[in-house]
Amino acid sequence: MDLRNVGGEPFAHAVLLLNSNGMDVFYKGNSLTYKIIGGVFDFYFFSGPTPLDVVDQYTSFIGRPAPMPYWSLGQYVGVRQHHRFKCDEDGRLGDVGKPGPLDLYLVDQWFHQCRWGYHNLSVVEDVVENYRKAQIPLDVIWNDDDHMDGHKDFTLNPVNYPRSKLLAFLDKIHNRGMKYIVIIDPGIGVNSSYGVYQRGIANDVFIKYDGEPYLAQVWPGAVNFPDFLNPNTVAWWGDEVRRFHELVPVDGLWIDMNEASNFCSGKCTIPKGKQCPSGTGPGWICCLDCKNITKTRWDDPPYKINASGLQVPIGFKTIATSAVHYNGVLEYDAHSLYGFSQAIATHKALQGLEGKRPFILSRSTYVGSGKYAAHWTGDNKGTWEDLKYSITTVLNFGIFGVPMVGADICGFYPAPTEELCNRWIEVGAFYPFSRDHANYYSPRQELYQWKTVTKSAQNALGMRYKLLPYLYTLNYLAHTSGAPIARPLFFSFPAYKECYGLSTQFLLGSSLMVSPVLEQGKTSVKALFPPGSWYNLFDMTQTIVSKGQYFMLDAPLHVVNVHLYQNTILPMQQGGMISKEARMTPFTLIVTFPAGASEAQAKGNLYLDNDELPEMKLGNGYSTYVDLYATLKQGSVKIWSEVQEGKFALDKGWKIEKITVLGLSGSVDTSGLEINGSPVANGASNIELSSMKQMHLQDVEDGVGKKKSLMVELSGLNLYVGKNFDMSMKMGVQG
């Protein structure tokens, strides 16, 4: 995407090169150079002229982002195990030995601690309960391959995750409204007693090399890779997902290692007289007998792209590029499509199970992946640099048509500091996809491990859960128009050149700006505010009126600055510990006018539906859409709604209990209040009105004196979300 300002007018356009072959890309400040080693050269031009127009045009071509279930916007934690380590009495890692009382399966998502033992289901249960005790919101518990039997897909460890106990645990969390997701890697273990492998061989589903299934190594040891370009593979994969779902009723699937990642390179065979993997040493060390493949131009092309950023051979630690897919397609041409094709097959499989809306998280992506899957940004480091870089990555993927995206909170590796975890959860709580995730070598990092992090998590995630109706509406808008959930500031302020290169702040939707601390030891943040009035979402009496300038904001350890822009109506709820309970709480509408304005207008919207249904649309009888409007004119405030298909919201009984209006220049009393055309007499209803003066971070002269503004709250309302309402109130003069 290119955005330029010509004579004060912004113009955006974009170009897509749709090519799946290997390439180098060079950026030189004023030019981009693509060096591509094969394939089709299809170029597409998207004319804009706004950034939102570009993404709308782009996603209309590549596929609109997938609808996400409501619970997917909640907070995630999980556990992971690759192999067993032994700990001494002080909790230090030692050599692998026979199982003992302090043995554990180290985990890959917050939960990996020698002295606590994550090798069985009881530890996962403890994690869930500890989140409850700490009053930290939690919607989804994840398992990496610790639930598996020998790291094999679609299996259960009969000792550590016995099916009867796992099903009882799932009944318990499902009854609370929580969900359960597990990992699946594409590599299928070569094992003659493994049903998934046997059925794969019988259906001829694997990528070939010299006429035989291509042999690689991932966590189970020797594996073959399914060829998702083959229709037989898609059918086989769907059947395996169905079989596993009958075994364990998971709520989504996490597809990892699907670049595809291979611990070996070249042409490999299983060594004779040697166990592979051996059970000693890291599981990612190649233990197959392998030879380099250099005999073809597919494996050793004339131009050497900078594969993996390491100047290594093109087939390094992945599928050999002369391997063959269905219908003779070479891996050389299809490599970049692997994770994409797996996401399509997995989406089809999940949707075919119970007719529910699928949730899939994929590490590998391609043009169009957002139509099928969410994405996390891979194995980021627990460093301040990567915290900062995570914002850039999340914003990029929104532009790429993958709006449901986030980075591993606190970093995947190595050990983050307590301060970094505080600051990361304050950012990560506002990622579209918010998940805690860490490497098994890191010490314990659950959000409840540090009191300071617990407080920051309660604060930031508490606000996220209040914002769920707004985030879900953004999910709907992403699905229907491609609009990113998290956006660079220039999406809303394309004419304001100062924000073009800004990647330390971001917007959720068009109006909600997050300005986090991204540097060690800082208790304030220098934040850019585009012109207009901005209101602190955590304390709406705090106002910033900007001419387009930087402000220094206080940001002690537990504080993240989130500001709402003028001319907005923001729907919120009261929050809760899980999205299911948060979703049924009463609504509040936050209406923002420019501070002290005499005339203004504001808009907002709200989308609600049965999020189990595959489609996210109006017209099915299970959805409601509401446009919200407000005007300030001639001393009167008017607020009203226009509802489409209100029956669903009415059946749910959702009500608006409170309306907060920000930026008013005068007070309001109930004597001038009318709702749906009827006056509301003083003392004749449960409606309460209160007002507070707003504090301006920087006084702005208006030619007469210092600007003043009020926050006015109306509570005790009883307005059905599913019915049109209109309200008006008259203002007095502020003292």
Side-chain angles (χ1 to χ4, degrees), residues 65-76 142 359-362 365 369-377 394 397-399 401-407 431-435 464 468 471-472 474-475 478 482-486:
M68 295 291 163
Y70 200 89
W71 55 261
S72 70
L73 293 164
Q75 170 71 3
Y76 304 82
W142 296 57
F359 179 80
I360 300 158
L361 182 70
S362 179
T365 59
S369 284
K371 183 178 179 181
Y372 305 97
H375 174 63
W376 95 104
T377 62
V394 166
F397 270 87
I399 295 172
V402 189
M404 192 64 166
V405 58
Y431 293 151
F433 173 71
S434 181
R435 185 179 71 158
R464 178 188 180 90
L468 286 178
L471 292 172
Y472 193 66
L474 293 177
N475 177 23
I485 296 173

Side-chain angles (χ1 to χ4, degrees), residues 75-140:
Q75 170 71 3
Y76 304 82
V77 298
V79 295
R80 181 175 191 174
Q81 158 255 328
H82 286 324
H83 41 269
R84 192 183 71 253
F85 287 81
K86 189 174 183 180
C87 304
D88 62 21
E89 297 293 338
D90 294 321
R92 292 188 295 265
L93 287 175
D95 295 331
V96 175
K98 294 180 180 178
L102 289 176
D103 277 9
L104 76 157
Y105 287 88
L106 296 169
V107 297
D108 189 348
Q109 182 143 308
W110 286 112
F111 313 122
H112 44 264
Q113 155 61 23
C114 284
R115 280 172 284 184
W116 210 19
Y118 285 80
H119 61 288
N120 61 40
L121 180 61
S122 65
V123 181
V124 182
E125 293 174 314
D126 286 343
V127 168
V128 172
E129 290 310 307
N130 283 330
Y131 266 82
R132 289 191 80 190
K133 290 176 185 176
Q135 294 290 293
I136 300 172
L138 177 63
D139 254 87
V140 187

Side-chain angles (χ1 to χ4, degrees), residues 378-451:
D379 299 349
N380 59 304
K381 290 182 284 188
T383 63
W384 292 95
E385 181 182 16
D386 274 25
L387 167 60
K388 188 180 296 185
Y389 188 64
S390 74
I391 295 175
T392 307
T393 314
V394 166
L395 297 181
N396 280 339
F397 270 87
I399 295 172
F400 298 157
V402 189
M404 192 64 166
V405 58
D408 291 345
I409 293 171
C410 292
F412 180 71
Y413 72 101
T417 64
E418 180 177 354
E419 182 190 1
L420 178 62
C421 267
N422 271 279
R423 294 309 189 186
W424 210 313
I425 188 59
E426 290 169 359
V427 179
F430 300 99
Y431 293 151
F433 173 71
S434 181
R435 185 179 71 158
D436 307 327
H437 188 36
N439 178 275
Y440 41 79
Y441 282 131
S442 302
R444 291 178 62 180
Q445 301 177 154
E446 298 96 338
L447 295 177
Y448 53 77
Q449 288 298 326
W450 290 296
K451 288 183 179 179

